[in-house]
Amino acid sequence: MTTSELTPPQVQDAAEKSGPGGTGRRRLLGAGKQLHAGPVTYVVLAVFALVSLAPLLWTVVAASRTNQRLAETPPPLWIGGNLFKNLESAWEEAGLGTAMLNSTIVAGTITVGTVLFSTLAGFAFAKLRFKFSNVLLLLTIGTMMIPPQLAVVPLYLWMSELGWSNQLQTVILPTLVSAFGTFFMRQYLVQALPSELIEAARVDGASSLRVVWHVVFPAARPAMAVLGLLTFVMAWNDFLWPIIALNQQNPTVQVALNSLGTGYVPDQAVIMAGALLGTLPLLIAFLLFGKQIVGGIMQGAIKG
């Protein structure tokens, strides 16, 4: 019998018998109360927030100044008047129009592919029974231990043989499936998706496709949202493979920003302005979907 099923006299007796000094009673009476943070908690949270925002704030300040002012001591601590001028210079010098479009295509395609394939593979490993499932799962996890730098040369030779040099599919294809995403979705679906629900759908005559669409995807939606955000951020910020596979005529944002550091005396203000432009899409995505992402994390924590 749970506490909610006890009558008021039973609750009082249980509280008095649960521990010395009325500890159990205090726990029962305070179970429904909302916890409030004290002033120290808010101070600590404010400090952590400022430390986390410091790099972004410095990027904005540096992007709004001149190169000469950034070289002076002490450095500027407030926004100057050259922000829009530096943003325009960075946009034109790096060709960020094409780069933004390419990064959107690359990151969006990788995100959709990773979330879709990882969910399907995670569901198979979590709920389906087939031969060598444990071996295949261990092999999948084992690929995470291989440094990606080791695959650069053979991967580049393979893409060259396919005739895809300096094309976006060279960046998209190798990252459409994620071992981390597969393991992440598998661990989530083991707890969040009851096997009885799948069996009930089978009894009702649902095909495998309908089970995935109407049962698996709704149950996995919170984890899919979290994985989608993580994948999009990683794909947008990826630099190593795009700088090898692409050139300045067809770049992603990170490849295009690399051209801003050239010259005898690099203009740090313009470089910071370019970095700010490259970061804005991620900030906008988080502002638009951050509530759903956090809600998905909390829902997954409650289910787990």
Side-chain angles (χ1 to χ4, degrees):
M1 181 178 293
T2 61
T3 303
S4 60
E5 296 173 346
L6 297 176
T7 60
Q10 291 174 321
V11 172
Q12 183 176 1
D13 293 340
E16 292 175 352
K17 296 178 181 179
S18 59
T23 304
R25 182 177 182 180
R26 288 195 297 270
R27 290 177 180 175
L28 286 173
L29 294 178
K33 295 182 179 180
Q34 184 178 3
L35 298 178
H36 295 280
V40 178
T41 304
Y42 287 106
V43 172
V44 173
L45 291 176
V47 171
F48 275 97
L50 289 176
V51 172
S52 301
L53 291 174
L56 179 61
L57 296 176
W58 169 248
T59 302
V60 176
V61 171
S64 64
R65 298 288 182 166
T66 62
N67 203 32
Q68 293 77 12
R69 179 64 184 90
L70 293 178
E72 296 177 359
T73 302
L77 299 177
W78 192 246
I79 299 175
N82 294 329
L83 179 61
F84 294 103
K85 178 182 177 181
N86 291 335
L87 291 176
E88 183 179 0
S89 299
W91 184 276
E92 294 177 354
E93 292 179 18
L96 288 179
T98 302
M100 287 283 187
L101 179 60
N102 288 344
S103 285
T104 302
I105 295 173
V106 170
T109 305
I110 292 174
T111 300
V112 172
T114 299
V115 172
L116 176 61
F117 295 136
S118 296
T119 303
L120 294 176
F123 165 64
F125 283 123
K127 297 299 178 179
L128 300 184
R129 298 293 176 262
F130 54 93
K131 291 183 178 180
F132 309 113
S133 60
N134 293 332
V135 176
L136 292 175
L137 180 61
L138 289 176
L139 289 176
T140 302
I141 298 173
T143 60
M144 299 171 59
M145 304 178 185
I146 302 175
Q149 293 82 358
L150 296 180
V152 167
V153 174
L155 188 59
Y156 183 80
L157 295 176
W158 181 29
M159 293 300 166
S160 298
E161 292 178 0
L162 292 175
W164 288 355
S165 298
N166 301 323
Q167 298 183 27
L168 296 183
Q169 57 263 36
T170 307
V171 181
I172 294 174
L173 184 62
T175 50
L176 275 181
V177 182
S178 168
F180 166 78
T182 300
F183 179 72
F184 175 76
M185 295 305 302
R186 186 261 180 192
Q187 294 300 106
Y188 180 85
L189 290 173
V190 165
Q191 298 291 336
L193 182 60
S195 301
E196 293 79 6
L197 194 60
I198 301 174
E199 294 174 359
R202 295 288 192 186
V203 171
D204 291 338
S207 62
S208 299
L209 183 60
R210 292 193 62 183
V211 169
V212 170
W213 185 260
H214 294 287
V215 178
V216 178
F217 284 169
R221 189 176 301 162
M224 293 170 68
V226 175
L227 179 61
L229 177 64
L230 296 177
T231 304
F232 185 84
V233 171
M234 292 179 63
W236 186 275
N237 292 329
D238 190 18
F239 177 75
L240 175 62
W241 177 237
I243 194 64
I244 296 173
L246 303 176
N247 55 25
Q248 292 296 334
Q249 283 68 43
N250 192 33
T252 58
V253 168
Q254 310 306 325
V255 177
L257 292 179
N258 186 55
S259 64
L260 293 177
T262 60
Y264 184 73
V265 180
D267 194 331
Q268 299 295 331
V270 176
I271 294 175
M272 288 296 183
L276 181 61
L277 287 172
T279 308
L280 282 179
L282 299 180
L283 298 177
I284 294 173
F286 186 80
L287 290 176
L288 293 177
F289 304 106
K291 186 176 181 180
Q292 290 80 357
I293 300 300
V294 174
I297 295 174
M298 296 304 299
Q299 183 175 351
I302 293 174
K303 287 184 177 181

